Amino acid sequence: GGGGGSASEHRASGSAAAASSRFGAIARKKKPDFEQLEMKLTDDELYAVEAQRPMEDDEAIFSEEVPLDQQRYSMFDKFRPRKPRYFNRIHTAFDWNKYNQTHYDHDNPPPKTVSGYKFNIFYPDLIDKTKTPVFQLLPGDHPDECTIRFSAGPPYEDIAFKIA
């Protein structure tokens, strides 16, 4: 009986060694460079990747666009102006201030508050690719609101969002 056990142990350890060397080779492969991959994707593919990314518990879609006054640029004579594509997210979190600590607990949490914004704005067809898009914070209608305005240059129109 002892010889059969050692043969089966030998086979098991032999297959385990083969499996570990096979998977060891996979584990040693270089991880993909996502920045390199993103550089190779088209605008539509980048937008689709961002749109299909699952929402985290503290995220929601944010797309409250603010209408801007019509602007007239000389570039519009040559290039048809268009709004850039975007996919924005809002991050929320619990604010555990003294009031909320007194009146709420982890089983009954306070309402979530906005903790940040993430703006993904796509400008694939910029005429001057050396000019970085810029943003401005403009005062809003109420003291606790403002408008963030993004400008990239031709052929894109400016785009703005109201944030609080």
Side-chain angles (χ1 to χ4, degrees), residues 39-74:
M39 297 299 281
K40 296 177 182 177
L41 296 177
T42 66
D43 175 48
D44 290 337
E45 291 168 336
L46 281 171
Y47 182 81
V49 165
E50 184 59 32
Q52 292 173 1
R53 188 172 65 87
M55 289 287 184
E56 308 253 340
D57 290 340
D58 65 343
E59 289 184 328
I61 294 175
F62 173 70
S63 60
E64 283 186 42
E65 220 178 299
V66 174
L68 297 172
D69 296 335
Q70 274 297 39
Q71 300 168 5
R72 180 84 179 142
Y73 296 111
S74 61

Side-chain angles (χ1 to χ4, degrees), residues 109-123:
K112 286 188 172 186
T113 58
V114 174
S115 64
Y117 298 88
K118 182 178 180 182
F119 296 93
N120 293 292
I121 304 174
F122 300 93
Y123 299 105

Side-chain angles (χ1 to χ4, degrees), residues 66-130:
V66 174
L68 297 172
D69 296 335
Q70 274 297 39
Q71 300 168 5
R72 180 84 179 142
Y73 296 111
S74 61
M75 67 154 178
F76 290 160
D77 297 334
K78 287 185 177 180
F79 307 104
R80 183 181 57 83
R82 58 183 181 264
K83 286 198 179 273
R85 294 176 72 183
Y86 61 86
F87 193 87
N88 303 331
R89 295 172 191 258
I90 186 170
H91 292 272
T92 58
F94 297 116
D95 182 10
W96 289 106
N97 58 29
K98 280 291 187 191
Y99 177 87
N100 287 347
Q101 289 176 15
T102 305
H103 295 87
Y104 297 98
D105 58 28
H106 288 284
D107 295 328
N108 180 25
K112 286 188 172 186
T113 58
V114 174
S115 64
Y117 298 88
K118 182 178 180 182
F119 296 93
N120 293 292
I121 304 174
F122 300 93
Y123 299 105
D125 301 322
L126 281 173
I127 303 302
D128 184 2
K129 294 187 186 289
T130 62

Side-chain angles (χ1 to χ4, degrees), residues 124-156:
D125 301 322
L126 281 173
I127 303 302
D128 184 2
K129 294 187 186 289
T130 62
K131 184 181 169 201
T132 304
V134 296
F135 71 93
Q136 290 178 295
L137 290 176
L138 308 169
D141 299 334
H142 302 288
D144 59 344
E145 288 181 351
C146 68
T147 300
I148 186 166
R149 179 182 189 144
F150 295 94
S151 303
Y156 294 101

